[in-house]
């Protein structure tokens, strides 16, 4: 069905930046802090005795956790998302020149000084689902560039 006013509305709204994109532009440090929260992952890690201190060492500790979240299909994607955001947080805080960036689809990625981008959320979801690649391995690959 062709409804002309809807075509104009869609075109106008598809070109507008998302509120998160506007927030990234206006306050990149605040956006980075928001992405670093990872509440569910931090809670599960704390319960397991792992302290997430935003260092590469903590990624290795996460890799060693028993993947109990795989038993809960509702929790699995949330843990994966948080793991990716935590990986991104560690990259941004420890790798010189690494910054958060939003892709046009709204997905947060980490851009390295070289210009290479890492879809950390996808990496976190893979890790949560299968255990590979390990978060520390993704970090090492990104940090060596």
């Amino acid at each position: 069905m062709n409804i002309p006013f809807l075509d104009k509305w869609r075109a106008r709204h598809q070109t507008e930046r998302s509120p998160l994109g506007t927030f990234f532009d206006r306050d990149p440090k605040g956006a980075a802090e928001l992405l670093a929260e990872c509440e569910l992952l931090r809670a599960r890690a704390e319960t397991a005795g792992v302290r997430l201190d935003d260092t590469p060492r903590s990624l290795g500790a996460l890799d060693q956790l028993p993947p109990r979240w795989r038993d809960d299909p509702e929790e699995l994607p949330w843990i994966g998302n948080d793991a990716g955001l935590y990986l991104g947080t560690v990259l941004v805080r420890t790798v010189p020149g690494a910054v958060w960036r939003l892709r046009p689809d709204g997905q947060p990625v980490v851009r390295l000084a070289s210009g290479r981008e890492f879809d950390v959320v996808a990496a976190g979801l893979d890790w949560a689902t299968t255990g590979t690649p390990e978060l520390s391995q993704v970090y090492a690959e990104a940090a060596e560039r």
Side-chain angles (χ1 to χ4, degrees), residues 5 13-15 19-20 22 30 44 55 60 69 72 79 82 86 93 97 102-103 108 114-115 117 130 138 140-142:
F5 79 88
H13 289 283
Q14 287 174 346
T15 61
L20 186 57
T22 303
R44 296 296 178 268
T55 63
W69 54 83
D72 185 346
I79 288 286
D82 275 8
Y86 184 72
R93 291 185 177 171
L102 280 184
R103 291 190 318 210
S114 67
E117 289 186 353
T130 66
V138 176
E141 180 185 334

Side-chain angles (χ1 to χ4, degrees), residues 9-137:
W9 182 88
R10 281 190 196 110
R12 185 175 69 238
H13 289 283
Q14 287 174 346
T15 61
E16 291 177 3
R17 299 232 348 134
S18 73
L20 186 57
T22 303
F23 182 53
F24 259 67
D25 294 340
R26 194 176 65 246
D27 185 6
K29 286 185 180 183
E33 289 301 317
L34 181 66
L35 293 173
E37 288 182 1
C38 314
E39 287 184 45
L40 182 60
L41 181 70
R42 289 182 189 276
R44 296 296 178 268
E46 185 178 323
T47 299
V50 173
R51 182 173 171 265
L52 298 184
D53 58 2
D54 301 345
T55 63
R57 186 183 74 250
S58 64
L59 293 171
L62 280 174
D63 290 335
Q64 301 307 310
L65 288 180
R68 291 189 178 97
W69 54 83
R70 290 186 195 146
D71 296 335
D72 185 346
E74 289 184 22
E75 186 171 292
L76 180 91
W78 293 103
I79 288 286
N81 187 71
D82 275 8
L85 295 176
Y86 184 72
L87 169 63
T89 296
V90 174
L91 284 166
V92 167
R93 291 185 177 171
T94 62
V95 175
V99 295
W100 283 108
R101 180 183 128 6
L102 280 184
R103 291 190 318 210
D105 65 359
Q107 182 72 23
V109 296
V110 173
R111 177 180 281 162
L112 302 177
S114 67
R116 185 169 180 205
E117 289 186 353
F118 279 84
D119 186 345
V120 291
V121 172
L125 289 168
D126 288 345
W127 172 81
T129 303
T130 66
T132 59
E134 290 183 335
L135 298 174
S136 58
Q137 180 183 355

